[in-house]
Amino acid sequence: MGIQLRDAINDDIPEIAKVIALAFEEHRGKLQPPSSSLDKSPESVEQELQSAKAIVAVKDGEIIGCVFHAVKDDYVCLAHLAVLPKYRGLGVAKMLVQEVEKKTLEHNLTTIRLSVRLALEKTRAFYEHLGYSFYSYGSHPGFTEATHVMLEKRILRA
């Protein structure tokens, strides 16, 4: 059985929280400030789903990846892209990003933005390979220097 993508439902919330926490575990102790994704709980996922939607990747009945997306003023914000470590390298992350791009066009928007920690150079390279480019730098509360970069992609309508 292959990998299917679908919109998340409420019953998925506990598993989404688990996937995000496990996917981001490799960054524990390496990011300042620590990633909020490390402490995802069903309650925090449920709260985020009040203002965003999630897409899940499913293989053999198991959620193996997810991504959040939310419509802002004139763009879609992509966040919490996560794939379980044992399923990396299969194109799951790319599939999830492309699904957000498709949904962006369904909202009659053509711009997607996302934030990547400066320390996560491989993650930034992944998005740049998919056509995302520099938009701006930002810093977390309490930091005077930049801690993340905002990337942007404009989607062309077919």
Side-chain angles (χ1 to χ4, degrees):
M1 181 184 227
I3 298 166
Q4 291 91 34
L5 301 182
R6 64 171 173 77
D7 292 334
I9 59 174
N10 284 342
D11 288 348
D12 297 329
I13 289 173
E15 205 166 346
I16 291 170
K18 179 181 165 188
V19 167
I20 293 171
L22 289 171
F24 281 79
E25 184 60 35
E26 67 189 87
H27 303 303
R28 187 174 298 280
K30 298 177 183 174
L31 299 175
Q32 285 302 323
S35 173
S36 63
S37 296
L38 288 166
D39 300 316
K40 278 295 170 219
S41 66
E43 295 76 21
S44 64
V45 169
E46 184 175 19
Q47 185 176 14
E48 284 191 55
L49 289 175
Q50 301 300 315
S51 60
K53 296 184 187 255
I55 301 165
V56 294
V58 181
K59 181 172 175 47
D60 300 327
E62 175 188 12
I63 294 177
I64 64 168
C66 63
V67 66
F68 284 66
H69 57 98
V71 174
K72 301 297 183 181
D73 295 330
D74 60 347
Y75 67 95
V76 168
C77 179
L78 182 153
H80 301 302
L81 175 64
V83 176
L84 290 174
K86 71 179 183 177
Y87 293 103
R88 292 182 184 159
L90 302 177
V92 178
K94 182 178 179 181
M95 290 170 58
L96 287 164
V97 170
Q98 288 173 334
E99 189 67 13
V100 172
E101 292 173 358
K102 181 178 140 190
K103 290 188 179 290
T104 297
L105 293 175
E106 290 172 5
H107 287 292
N108 292 316
L109 295 171
T110 58
T111 304
I112 299 175
R113 292 185 187 145
L114 58 97
S115 178
V116 177
R117 297 291 187 102
L118 291 176
L120 301 179
E121 294 174 9
K122 287 182 183 178
T123 303
R124 182 175 179 176
F126 164 77
Y127 285 114
E128 288 174 343
H129 179 75
L130 295 180
Y132 289 78
S133 58
F134 175 82
Y135 178 75
S136 66
Y137 287 110
S139 59
H140 289 81
F143 288 78
T144 56
E145 295 181 9
T147 56
H148 60 92
V149 61
M150 184 74 71
L151 301 178
E152 177 181 88
K153 181 176 181 179
R154 297 203 184 258
I155 311 296
L156 299 176
R157 296 185 187 278

